[in-house]
Amino acid sequence: MRDVPFGLDGNFSEEAIIKRFNGDLANDLGNLIYRTLTMIEKYYSGLIPELDIYKVKYDASGENIKEKLRNLHQEVYTPLSWDNDFSLALEKIWDVSV
């Protein structure tokens, strides 16, 4: 969905799917999950803490992510509701972690 705009023609190949999978999921998302689980193990003895992120004050980077999460619903809803733009919606979701 990310490589081909919804409703338009595009190139599809097994090689492109594997490349996208390895680039986005295996590398980026896998790295994020690994770092998160490592920090939970190190700082919280492997137990996920209960936390309301909107009540905690973070540094500038954390506050930026918190603001992106606040706006994510509208950022994703708009391209999906107006244009069925799945590519843009996925891009907005992925941007939260950057």
Side-chain angles (χ1 to χ4, degrees), residues 30-97:
N31 187 30
L32 175 63
I33 290 170
Y34 175 78
R35 287 184 287 142
T36 302
L37 293 175
T38 300
M39 290 176 66
I40 289 170
E41 180 64 34
K42 182 177 180 179
Y43 297 112
Y44 298 102
S45 302
L47 301 173
I48 299 173
E50 290 187 35
L51 178 67
D52 184 349
I53 66 166
Y54 297 108
K55 292 181 180 178
V56 177
K57 191 76 171 159
Y58 296 97
D59 64 8
S61 175
E63 289 298 319
N64 184 32
I65 291 172
K66 193 163 59 170
E67 187 63 27
K68 286 181 180 180
L69 287 172
R70 272 193 196 102
N71 298 325
L72 186 60
H73 176 266
Q74 190 61 36
E75 292 280 330
V76 171
Y77 178 77
T78 301
L80 288 178
S81 63
W82 291 355
D83 302 324
N84 288 326
D85 192 343
F86 296 105
S87 297
L88 182 58
L90 287 170
E91 183 179 318
K92 296 295 183 181
I93 292 169
W94 207 249
D95 284 344
V96 171
S97 66

Side-chain angles (χ1 to χ4, degrees), residues 15-30:
E15 181 182 334
I17 294 292
I18 292 170
K19 184 178 177 183
R20 174 63 66 190
F21 177 83
N22 287 337
D24 286 354
L25 295 178
N27 294 336
D28 296 342
L29 186 59

